[in-house]
Amino acid sequence: MALLSGAVLALPGTAAHAADTLISQGRTVTASSVENGGTPAAYAVDGNTGTRWSSAASDQQWIQVDLGQSATISKVLLQWEAAYGKAYQIQTSADGTTWTTVYSTTTGAGGTETLNVSGSGRYVRMNGVTRATGYGYSLWEFQVYGSFGSTPPTCDTANAAQGKAATASSTENAGTPASAAVDGNTGTRWSSAAADPQWLQVDLGSVQQLCQVTLNWEAAYGRAYQIQTSADGTTWTTVYSTTTGAGGNETLDVSGSGRYVRLYGTQRGTGYGYSLWEFGVHTGGGSTVPPVQGGGDLGPNVLVFDPSTPNIQATVDQVFAKQESNQFGTDRYALLFKPGTYNNINAQIGFYTSIAGLGLNPDDTTFNGDVTVDAGWMQGNATQNFWRSAENLHLKPVSGTDRWAVAQAAPFRRMHVEGGLNLAPSGYGWASGGYIADSKIDGQVGNYSQQQWYTRDSSIGGFSNGVWNQVFSGVQGAPAQGFPNPPYTTLDTTPVSQEKPFLYLDGSDYKVFVPAKRTNARGTSWGAGAPQGSSLPLSQFYLVKPGATAATINQALAQGLNLLFTPGVYHVDQTINITRPDTVVLGLGLATVIPDNGVTAIKVADVDGVKMAGLLLDAGTVNSPSLLQVGGSGPGADHSNDPTVIQDVFVRVGGAGAGRTTAGMVINSNNTVIDHTWIWRADHGAGVGWDVNAADYGMLVGGNNVLATGLFVEHFKKYDVEWSGNGGRTIFFQNEIAYDAPNQAAVQNGTTKGFAAYKVDNNVTSHEAWGLGSYCYFNVDPTIVVDHGFEVPNTPNVKLHDILVNSLGGNGQFNHVVNDTGAATSGTSTTPSNVVSYP
């Protein structure tokens, strides 16, 4: 049964096992959260039934104990306080990252539960799934019983820190550097400034299992200090703590793992600083976690062509035949073309397919032919041509005009079309897109039936007609401002832009180019020659391939590697944590990340310059608080010089199957740039229904001075976008209110009818947006009314330009456009109600 299911290996009982020895008391313990400073995790293993650990008041909380070495586990005792777990698991792990469930229940009764289990591991955790009360999880005691092997692992006598890179919070002078504490010479020393706190840390080069730390103090020692470990040099775990340090030579037995080890001093023993002749770190007591390797091949779903490759057309046709109508399938492809000239090519692009050139400049890779998206699979209707992309190619269309008839999540980036570009399907059927950036179209862009479109930092030969909402920023050749007739919103420049990182060939070596940030940008980033930016070798990337685990991905990040997701679908059981400034995370072929157990799929710390692009985040069946979180719980540091940029990162809730999340994206880092996203609560496909793919908010913005360029958000149950940070700007917003509301009561917002599509909170004093559109189509109850599509505070520095609402076929209506301004929609004519400027 264990081999087949691995789910429930034991049932609770009271019979004692002969080998039942308490092995967890006093061990290192960590938890997902604590209620407050008086309920730390350590209180659950201190043997005192009058102290307790308690978590935050939310589900998906855990507490885990490090036994110091692998043990055979025979029993777990949970002594609950009144706030207990109704559904929880007992899990074991050899490394603290990959877990095996040895007990599971959905009917926990609280009190004292004695669970006879069978398993082994160094780490044991209680993984809470559902609380029984409105409080958190709370344990007086968490006791693990079992036995260790007869011969405990030995501690290596060699000093793993010697000769490694060391840094410190300060140095007393140039003669006492951090490196002197790890040089093996007891006649040299590190000493700090005479202040608290101070620290010294060493980088071991890879994640190691630690068993001992030795401190050879000079006369200026630490009275209160901690020994801490970290996988990434940012998030620290305390493995030893004292307030009675005596100086001299101290040998400390510790248990933990990490790449970085630091002494963190909080109280000096003298009036001088902290001073160490030697800082020793010893490893052993468990297996060393091997480092993740960077570089390698691009995986099975990346097809690379050069001009001599045989049967190129047949190969791309095979991919298209598989992907043309594969809207919710799991296949993912990237078609990459080396620099050169390709003749007689018509690459038709279906779902989850990316096509790109591998030159540093689009003109390095020339097609005497086309890259085509049409809508034959949907009888000429292009409104569902999602999730595909074209990048970094020079096209010479056979007919003189290339066809790119797409809807949302289908970027056209860094392209040179030597001719025209038709955005409509053949037959000029319905179309609902789309996005162009950093591209040069020599001829005219034919908008035709596209309801809305956004073009950024490009050069075009002209633009024909418009339907409801066509927006341009930084576009040479853009039509003049004309909203609402014609429906053009034109900004001369884009305030901040940084083009998407891309894979290219430097000779025979793959590299990732990271373009430089531009301010007040206009035109392409590459038209004047070599683009500005930096190149990163593939050896600095962990190439994520199908089968990769979140634990390995996080280990790679902790080692300082960037991430290149090859085409595939990746299920993660823990949050992917990006904590290093300027980390690059790039997906190929719409690589898809799905959280399996209610975690946030990806979190970005409040650091400078993270670049994330080319991913689809798909909600799992257990509700996640969000699928992407950037920053902490609120605004932090100023990142204006080196902002985090999120590009072509799409969110989906439902469609491929039931999924749930409270919010799609949460953006709390200041100065973040969101450049083209589609955040979609599915209105069709599998797992769709008002209470099936439940999701309240599309995007919540708490950071200050956040910029969104090309923002598509649709169908969420409450606000599709809610902005609480100051200084926000949006250039182009496309929205559809949730179709499937069962009745007016389901969307009643206090005394207000319906939730606005775009809400700026009352506390916000500055915000500006251009080219915004929201549509309603209540197909379950067409009598539903929304009071206003946009809701903002009435203050001089909150300004909206070129705004519209529309009722599609009269299925529901808007009473106003912004607040109580703007005429109501009415009838079935699908005619927008417009406001040119507010206030």
Side-chain angles (χ1 to χ4, degrees):
M1 183 180 293
L3 291 174
L4 290 173
S5 67
V8 179
L9 301 183
L11 296 174
T14 57
H17 288 211
D20 285 349
T21 300
L22 179 59
I23 58 177
S24 57
Q25 193 163 307
R27 300 285 183 176
T28 300
V29 64
T30 54
S32 54
S33 66
V34 295
E35 181 182 6
N36 56 57
T39 59
Y43 280 178
V45 295
D46 62 357
N48 183 349
T49 56
T51 62
R52 64 187 175 93
W53 162 73
S54 61
S55 76
S58 61
D59 287 323
Q60 305 295 323
Q61 302 289 340
W62 52 261
I63 183 171
Q64 73 183 49
V65 61
D66 177 359
L67 302 176
Q69 64 186 83
S70 183
T72 299
I73 313 302
S74 57
K75 186 173 72 177
V76 171
L77 184 144
L78 304 176
Q79 189 173 353
W80 295 101
E81 193 249 1
Y84 66 97
K86 175 68 70 176
Y88 64 86
Q89 302 158 344
I90 303 298
Q91 299 176 314
T92 64
S93 174
D95 57 9
T97 55
T98 302
W99 295 90
T100 299
T101 299
V102 296
Y103 173 76
S104 180
T105 184
T106 58
T107 57
T112 298
E113 295 186 285
T114 302
L115 315 173
N116 293 324
V117 300
S118 176
S120 64
R122 172 176 173 161
Y123 302 85
V124 182
R125 80 174 172 185
M126 187 287 297
N127 186 40
V129 178
T130 305
R131 295 163 294 146
T133 73
Y135 300 97
Y137 299 83
S138 184
L139 283 167
W140 296 112
E141 284 294 295
F142 175 40
Q143 296 181 344
V144 178
Y145 293 80
S147 60
F148 297 110
S150 57
T151 305
T154 59
C155 201
D156 195 342
T157 57
N159 180 4
Q162 190 168 317
K164 296 297 197 299
T167 54
S169 54
S170 68
T171 56
E172 183 183 5
N173 55 57
T176 59
S179 59
V182 293
D183 62 359
N185 183 349
T186 56
T188 62
R189 64 186 176 95
W190 161 72
S191 62
S192 75
D196 293 314
Q198 300 290 336
W199 53 261
L200 170 75
Q201 77 181 47
V202 61
D203 179 359
L204 302 179
S206 64
V207 175
Q208 303 283 328
Q209 193 66 51
L210 310 181
C211 54
Q212 193 178 83
V213 169
T214 58
L215 304 174
N216 184 359
W217 292 103
E218 194 249 2
Y221 66 97
R223 181 170 300 282
Y225 62 85
Q226 301 160 3
I227 303 298
Q228 300 176 320
T229 64
S230 174
D232 56 11
T234 302
T235 303
W236 294 90
T237 299
T238 298
V239 296
Y240 177 82
S241 180
T242 185
T243 58
T244 57
N249 289 305
E250 294 187 284
T251 299
L252 314 174
D253 292 329
V254 299
S255 175
S257 63
R259 171 176 173 169
Y260 302 86
V261 184
R262 90 175 163 183
L263 163 81
Y264 187 78
T266 56
Q267 182 186 349
R268 292 162 290 143
T270 72
Y272 300 97
Y274 298 82
S275 184
L276 282 168
W277 296 112
E278 282 296 295
F279 179 40
V281 177
H282 299 270
T283 60
S287 59
T288 299
V289 179
V292 175
Q293 299 300 312
D297 66 83
L298 296 174
N301 299 321
V302 175
L303 307 181
V304 180
F305 305 91
D306 64 43
S308 66
T309 302
N311 302 317
I312 294 175
Q313 187 65 56
T315 302
V316 297
D317 285 349
Q318 288 172 1
V319 173
F320 177 67
K322 193 173 186 180
Q323 300 299 99
E324 179 183 11
S325 59
N326 194 17
Q327 184 171 180
F328 296 112
T330 58
D331 295 300
R332 305 285 187 271
Y333 292 97
L335 311 178
L336 305 182
F337 289 79
K338 295 181 181 181
T341 299
Y342 299 79
N343 295 315
N344 303 314
I345 295 290
N346 180 20
Q348 299 186 81
I349 306 300
F351 286 100
Y352 313 111
T353 305
S354 297
I355 186 169
L358 287 170
L360 190 57
N361 188 296
D363 289 337
D364 294 340
T365 309
T366 297
F367 276 20
N368 288 312
D370 298 76
V371 171
T372 301
V373 176
D374 207 340
W377 73 280
M378 204 177 174
Q379 294 75 53
N381 181 347
T383 58
Q384 292 182 27
N385 280 351
F386 313 136
W387 303 307
R388 63 200 76 198
S389 67
E391 299 182 49
N392 207 30
L393 291 167
H394 175 201
L395 307 181
K396 296 182 178 181
V398 171
S399 69
T401 300
D402 193 63
R403 185 182 303 278
W404 187 253
V406 298
Q408 290 82 354
F412 195 82
R413 286 185 180 270
R414 201 177 172 78
M415 297 286 285
H416 179 193
V417 180
E418 197 172 322
L421 185 66
N422 187 334
L423 304 181
S426 55
Y428 301 95
W430 290 346
S432 179
Y435 176 90
I436 294 172
D438 201 27
S439 294
K440 184 176 187 292
I441 293 94
D442 294 351
Q444 179 169 271
V445 178
N447 183 79
Y448 302 114
S449 55
Q450 283 288 353
Q451 296 163 352
Q452 62 277 317
W453 197 275
Y454 175 52
T455 307
R456 178 183 64 72
D457 298 352
S458 295
S459 171
I460 61 176
F463 195 91
S464 72
N465 80 292
V467 180
W468 295 329
N469 189 32
Q470 278 64 35
V471 179
F472 310 83
S473 69
V475 178
Q476 296 166 340
Q481 170 73 29
F483 188 89
N485 186 26
Y488 297 149
T489 299
T490 302
L491 284 71
D492 189 59
T493 61
T494 304
V496 179
S497 59
Q498 188 163 6
E499 299 304 333
K500 178 182 173 183
F502 60 92
L503 189 68
Y504 78 103
L505 274 172
D506 183 3
S508 59
D509 296 326
Y510 286 104
K511 294 182 178 179
V512 172
F513 190 80
V514 183
K517 185 187 78 170
R518 298 196 291 166
T519 56
N520 299 317
R522 180 173 172 81
T524 67
S525 68
W526 50 269
Q532 298 297 303
S534 58
S535 290
L536 300 173
L538 214 56
S539 61
Q540 294 182 15
F541 287 80
Y542 170 48
L543 271 62
V544 189
K545 298 174 185 175
T549 65
T552 303
I553 293 169
N554 278 326
Q555 185 186 341
L557 289 166
Q559 290 176 205
L561 292 172
N562 303 293
L563 300 179
L564 180 65
F565 281 85
T566 68
V569 177
Y570 300 92
H571 289 262
V572 296
D573 60 357
Q574 58 181 258
T575 297
I576 297 171
N577 285 302
I578 301 163
T579 61
R580 179 176 58 84
D582 298 309
T583 299
V584 176
V585 179
L586 178 61
L588 302 178
L590 279 295
T592 302
V593 180
I594 304 173
D596 283 336
N597 55 352
V599 299
T600 294
I602 301 177
K603 287 185 178 180
V604 180
D606 187 42
V607 296
D608 279 349
V610 172
K611 306 294 181 274
M612 182 186 301
L615 293 174
L616 171 60
L617 307 181
D618 205 351
T621 56
V622 178
N623 187 76
S624 295
S626 62
L627 296 183
L628 172 65
Q629 179 177 326
V630 180
S633 58
D638 181 347
H639 303 293
S640 55
N641 289 332
D642 187 13
T644 285
V645 184
I646 308 297
Q647 297 175 291
D648 300 348
V649 174
F650 309 121
V651 166
R652 180 172 68 192
V653 185
R660 304 173 73 90
T661 188
T662 302
M665 288 187 185
V666 176
I667 309 296
N668 286 336
S669 274
N670 297 331
N671 312 104
T672 301
V673 177
I674 304 109
D675 177 44
H676 188 228
T677 185
W678 184 39
I679 304 172
W680 184 59
R681 176 178 167 265
D683 61 282
H684 63 274
V688 170
W690 187 248
D691 295 315
V692 178
N693 61 328
D696 285 344
Y697 306 100
M699 187 171 81
L700 301 175
V701 183
N704 295 324
N705 303 311
V706 171
L707 171 65
T709 52
L711 182 58
F712 300 74
V713 188
E714 297 186 314
H715 305 307
F716 287 84
K717 295 177 72 170
K718 293 183 179 179
Y719 298 121
D720 289 283
V721 173
E722 184 174 8
W723 216 291
S724 58
N726 272 309
R729 291 175 291 184
T730 296
I731 303 173
F732 180 90
F733 172 69
Q734 184 269 328
N735 167 263
E736 292 174 353
I737 298 286
Y739 287 174
D740 57 339
N743 49 50
Q744 186 75 52
V747 293
Q748 191 70 15
N749 183 14
T751 59
T752 302
K753 294 179 180 179
F755 287 82
Y758 190 101
K759 162 76 172 176
V760 180
D761 286 352
N762 291 336
N763 64 294
V764 174
T765 58
S766 58
H767 187 93
E768 193 161 12
W770 298 262
L772 315 174
S774 178
Y775 322 135
C776 70
Y777 180 74
F778 293 110
N779 58 357
V780 176
D781 181 0
T783 68
I784 292 175
V785 174
V786 178
D787 274 342
H788 35 249
F790 300 85
E791 183 178 330
V792 301
N794 287 309
T795 186
N797 290 323
V798 175
K799 305 173 184 178
L800 305 184
H801 312 276
D802 299 357
I803 324 109
L804 67 95
V805 295
N806 206 347
S807 170
L808 306 183
N811 291 275
Q813 302 290 342
F814 290 98
N815 281 335
H816 300 285
V817 182
V818 185
N819 295 349
D820 295 328
T821 298
T825 56
S826 61
T828 60
S829 63
T830 312
T831 300
S833 178
N834 302 299
V835 169
V836 174
S837 184
Y838 187 90

